[in-house]
Each structure stands twice: as C-alpha cells, then as structure tokens.
C-alpha cells in the first residue's frame, strides 16, 4: 500500500469519480484507475462500487478511509516539517558545544540565533569534546565544536581557534618561569573533567608529552568543573591548568597566578561534522554563528 494509492483513493472517495480525482491530482484518469485497481488486487477486496453516476465506498473502502486519511495527513505534516527546517521557519536544530563554551562567548549563541530565527527550536548540548565528537559521528548531533585531538573517523574537522593552556598556582614561587612537563609531573595537580579522565583532549596532549619525557602524570584531585579546580587552587590545595580564555575571565578567583608551558601548549577548537552528511540550513547557520564568534574572539 503506497501513498500514491492512498492519495488516489481519498481523492476518488471525496470527489466521487476517477476523472474528478485525476483532475485534482493533476494526472491522467488511467493512472488513478490503475492505482485503485492495484490497491484492490493486492488486498483482494474492492474499495468502490462503480455506480453509473458516482463511486460508492464498499465496506472495505469505508474501513480503509480513516486510516488513509491519517497516513496522508502524517505524510503531508512530515513534508511540511522538512520544508520548515529547510527554510529556517520551524523544526529543531541540535548542535554540540565544548564544555567551557561560555568562556569563548558562545553563551550568546542561542540568543543570537533565536533573535534571527524565532520559529526554529535549538538544542545546544554542552558536553566534553569526546562525547560531542561521538554524537556527531553517530548522527545524533549534526555538528559541534570540540577541542582537538579527537577520534575523527568519518568526520570533517575544521580548526577555528587556538587558545594557549597555562599553569595556575596560588604560590607565586611556582610561576616565576615557564613550567616543564617534568615539573608538572612533580606538582600536586588538580584536574577537571574527572568523568572523561585521560580521554579529555587537553589531558591527552599532556599524557603524550609526559610519555616522551619518561614521566607520569597523576592528579591528586579530580573534579568535574574547571571552576571547582580553580577554587581549590586558590585555597592553595594544589595547582591546575586552564585555557587562557578561562584564566582571563571574571571566573578566575583572586590570588592565583599563571605561567605558560616551556613548550607552549594549545587547545585547538574545531568544528566537526559527518563526512557523508549535508548539514540542515538551521545547523549550518548555528555553525556559521559559532565560527564567527570564535573568530571575533581571536581578533579581540
């Protein structure tokens, strides 16, 4: 049973003849007759009694009618939903954001998009880059922003912004000169993103450096949020690392000091999408706005 058959059936039932149904559907009368004939043959039951003046629904046709109406209405609603998304006049767009997106002024992304396209609903999912990349690869999120490196099979990766990672301590004596990876291994480290651990992209970079230097990084305290790591650092319990966007933000507590790494370390923020998939207009616009905000941040 196809939508074409159901549309022909509904038109004939509503207008009372195959010729009138054909005119309404913009097809030949023979096409409508053939669609109805196949429908009846496939199910072994006539849906119309062919009278001299008007088609009359049989018992089978009467039973089919409400389901045909529901099926065609659902298909029409689906087509309208797709048209709405394509024209940015409706639908839902889902976009993934890196955990600390607010520090790159991306908290304004939802507001700016809503002001321009008030009829499109948006879901901005703020996860660690590991999960954003996995969600995009799985197709549950159309596109997103991540910190590199990530597993990038079947993903198109577009780097947008580099942000330096710095060492943070409440003890001025520990930040008199750039820190080496060996010094980092000896520090009482407080690291955030505890749930993802060494899968986190920034931690992965540090782990690779430590491996090359023949040392091991073992945090004393792990927490989920960068704000918690900074608060503990400000109390002198240990030291942490953050991106410069975080270090220069209003969330940085008083009494902490920063120093770069002896071998500079950077978080590279990138846009990712599936290689074989074309973004919907809504997701394209979200990606464009996010990219513009990051570029503006870099210029500032």
């Amino acid at each position: 049973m196809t939508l074409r058959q159901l549309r022909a059936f509904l038109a004939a039932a509503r207008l009372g003849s195959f010729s009138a149904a054909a005119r309404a559907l913009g097809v030949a009368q023979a096409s409508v007759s053939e669609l109805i004939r196949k429908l009846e043959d496939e199910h072994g039951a006539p849906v119309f009694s062919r009278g001299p003046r008007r088609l009359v629904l049989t018992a089978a046709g009467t039973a089919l009618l409400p389901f045909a109406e529901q099926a065609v209405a659902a298909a029409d609603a689906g087509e309208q939903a797709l048209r709405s998304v394509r024209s940015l006049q409706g639908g839902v767009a889902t976009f993934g954001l890196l955990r600390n997106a607010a520090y790159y002024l991306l908290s304004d992304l939802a507001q700016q998009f809503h002001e321009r396209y008030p009829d499109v609903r948006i879901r901005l999912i703020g996860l660690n880059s590991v999960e954003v990349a996995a969600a995009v690869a799985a197709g549950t999120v159309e596109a997103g922003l991540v910190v590199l490196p990530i597993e990038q099979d079947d993903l198109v990766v577009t780097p947008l912004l580099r942000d330096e990672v710095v060492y943070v301590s409440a003890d001025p004596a520990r930040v008199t000169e750039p820190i080496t990876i060996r010094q980092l291994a000896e520090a009482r480290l407080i690291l955030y993103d505890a749930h993802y651990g060494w899968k986190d992209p920034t931690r992965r970079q540090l782990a690779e450096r430590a491996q090359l230097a023949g040392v091991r990084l073992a945090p004393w305290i792990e927490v989920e949020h960068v704000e918690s790591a900074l608060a503990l650092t400000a109390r002198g319990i240990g030291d942490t690392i953050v991106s410069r966007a975080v270090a220069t933000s209003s969330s940085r507590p008083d009494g902490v000091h920063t120093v770069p790494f002896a071998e500079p370390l950077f978080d590279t923020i990138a846009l990712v999408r599936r290689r074989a998939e074309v973004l919907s207009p809504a997701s394209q616009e979200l990606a464009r706005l996010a990219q513009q905000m990051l570029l503006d941040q870099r210029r500032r």
Side-chain angles (χ1 to χ4, degrees), residues 122-137:
I122 58 174
R123 295 175 63 233
L124 298 180
I125 299 177
L127 303 169
N128 183 277
S129 297
V130 176
E131 285 198 2
V132 171
V136 174

Side-chain angles (χ1 to χ4, degrees), residues 167 184-185 187-191 198 206 217-222 238-241:
Y167 183 77
L184 188 70
R188 283 182 172 263
L189 277 180
I190 302 170
L191 296 181
W198 294 101
L206 289 172
L217 299 176
W220 285 87
I221 298 176
E222 293 185 82
D239 299 340
T240 191
I241 59 166

Side-chain angles (χ1 to χ4, degrees), residues 2 7 14-15 27 61 84 105 120 123 130-131 135 149 152 155 158 160 169 188 190 202 211 235 237 258 261 271:
T2 68
R7 289 187 191 281
R14 185 175 67 252
L15 298 172
V27 298
S84 295
L105 306 183
V120 180
R123 295 175 63 233
V130 176
E131 285 198 2
Q152 65 179 76
L155 294 181
T158 306
L160 301 175
S169 177
R188 283 182 172 263
I190 302 170
T202 306
Q211 187 176 53
R235 297 176 190 176
I237 297 173
T258 64
F261 281 82
L271 174 71

